[in-house]
Amino acid sequence: MKKYLLIGLVMLCFFSMEAITKETEQKEINRDTGMGFQFGTLSGNGFAYRNYWEKCGLQIVLGGMTTGSKDIDYELYRYYGGASEITKTENGRKTTISTSMNYLHTLANNNIGRFYAFGGGSLIYSRIRQFEVDYRRSSNNYYVRILDHPERKKWDNKYAYYFGFGLGFDFDIGQNFHWVLELPITIDEDSEIVMYIPQTGLYYFFK
């Protein structure tokens, strides 16, 4: 009797573990909302939000950064055709904002990850602080700033946009983290086609 009771307990534990495992896997598959970081031309660079529904999905990316130096080189060593005075435009700090939106369509989905097609576009806005400075030749190929000529400050605004489509893989790497690898075909604002520049991202799916 004890033998059969022990066998029954073992079988009960086995089927309970199987049920828990399947439930956990199903929950992992059903996790459809994530946030993280994305990097790419079509996807944009920055903080990313990604949501899946049954077959479709949406990804939104927003990021920004400031680069460049506040310091300007007021001495030049270069030949400018022998001119006694020249005016040069120097770039200072540059602020770039990147945003994008992409539609995702699931082609296959399992415990390993998700295979999908995507399409959308991105916009990159750059604002550059520029300084116009007058220089006077001091000696051969050596120019110094004309101190009684104040520098003129202005802003240079630039826009770049990309749109396209491609294929992507969303790999479940465990602990609710997903690694995304995408291969897009991208068209820029000059109607030039850029292919085979991969995009990548890291997400944490929380529900």
Side-chain angles (χ1 to χ4, degrees):
M1 185 65 181
K2 292 182 179 179
K3 179 180 179 181
Y4 292 114
L5 181 60
L6 181 60
I7 293 174
L9 288 174
V10 170
M11 292 182 65
L12 179 62
C13 291
F14 174 77
F15 287 116
S16 297
M17 291 298 295
E18 282 289 309
I20 293 173
T21 301
K22 288 183 179 180
E23 182 180 359
T24 303
E25 291 176 350
Q26 187 64 32
K27 286 183 178 180
E28 186 66 25
I29 292 175
N30 290 336
R31 290 186 184 275
D32 52 16
T33 303
M35 298 186 70
F37 303 94
Q38 183 78 23
F39 304 94
T41 303
L42 187 59
S43 67
N45 304 313
F47 294 103
Y49 167 84
R50 176 174 286 217
N51 195 91
Y52 294 113
W53 292 277
E54 288 186 4
K55 281 291 185 179
C56 59
L58 180 68
Q59 174 182 279
I60 300 174
V61 177
L62 178 64
M65 64 183 302
T66 298
T67 58
S69 174
K70 296 180 180 179
D71 299 326
I72 300 176
D73 186 5
Y74 292 116
E75 297 181 353
L76 301 177
Y77 297 88
R78 189 175 175 183
Y79 178 70
Y80 290 96
S84 59
E85 293 185 4
I86 61 172
T87 299
K88 282 188 62 64
T89 300
E90 304 283 348
N91 289 333
R93 302 285 280 173
K94 175 182 178 181
T95 299
T96 301
I97 298 176
S98 172
T99 183
S100 73
M101 180 179 294
N102 281 265
Y103 169 78
L104 315 173
H105 185 80
T106 300
L107 302 176
N109 187 21
N110 54 40
N111 292 333
I112 298 175
R114 186 186 302 262
F115 176 55
Y116 59 92
F118 66 93
S122 66
L123 174 67
I124 301 175
Y125 166 69
S126 300
R127 184 173 173 85
I128 307 171
R129 189 62 180 265
Q130 294 185 327
F131 304 86
E132 285 188 351
V133 183
D134 297 327
Y135 295 88
R136 177 181 291 116
R137 189 175 65 176
S138 176
S139 60
N140 290 335
N141 301 338
Y142 177 56
Y143 289 79
V144 295
R145 178 189 174 190
I146 304 176
L147 297 179
D148 56 349
H149 290 196
E151 61 185 22
R152 282 85 64 192
K153 300 178 182 179
K154 63 179 182 178
W155 291 98
D156 183 26
N157 301 309
K158 295 183 179 181
Y159 297 88
Y161 62 85
Y162 305 88
F163 62 92
F165 58 91
L167 297 174
F169 300 89
D170 183 337
F171 296 102
D172 179 4
I173 58 177
Q175 302 298 320
N176 299 341
F177 284 97
H178 287 223
W179 173 49
V180 170
L181 183 62
E182 298 174 339
L183 193 63
I185 298 175
T186 304
I187 303 174
D188 63 17
E189 71 273 12
D190 297 322
S191 298
E192 296 182 355
I193 298 177
V194 181
M195 297 180 64
Y196 312 130
I197 298 179
Q199 304 181 153
T200 189
L202 182 64
Y203 293 81
Y204 180 81
F205 277 76
F206 48 89
K207 68 175 183 176

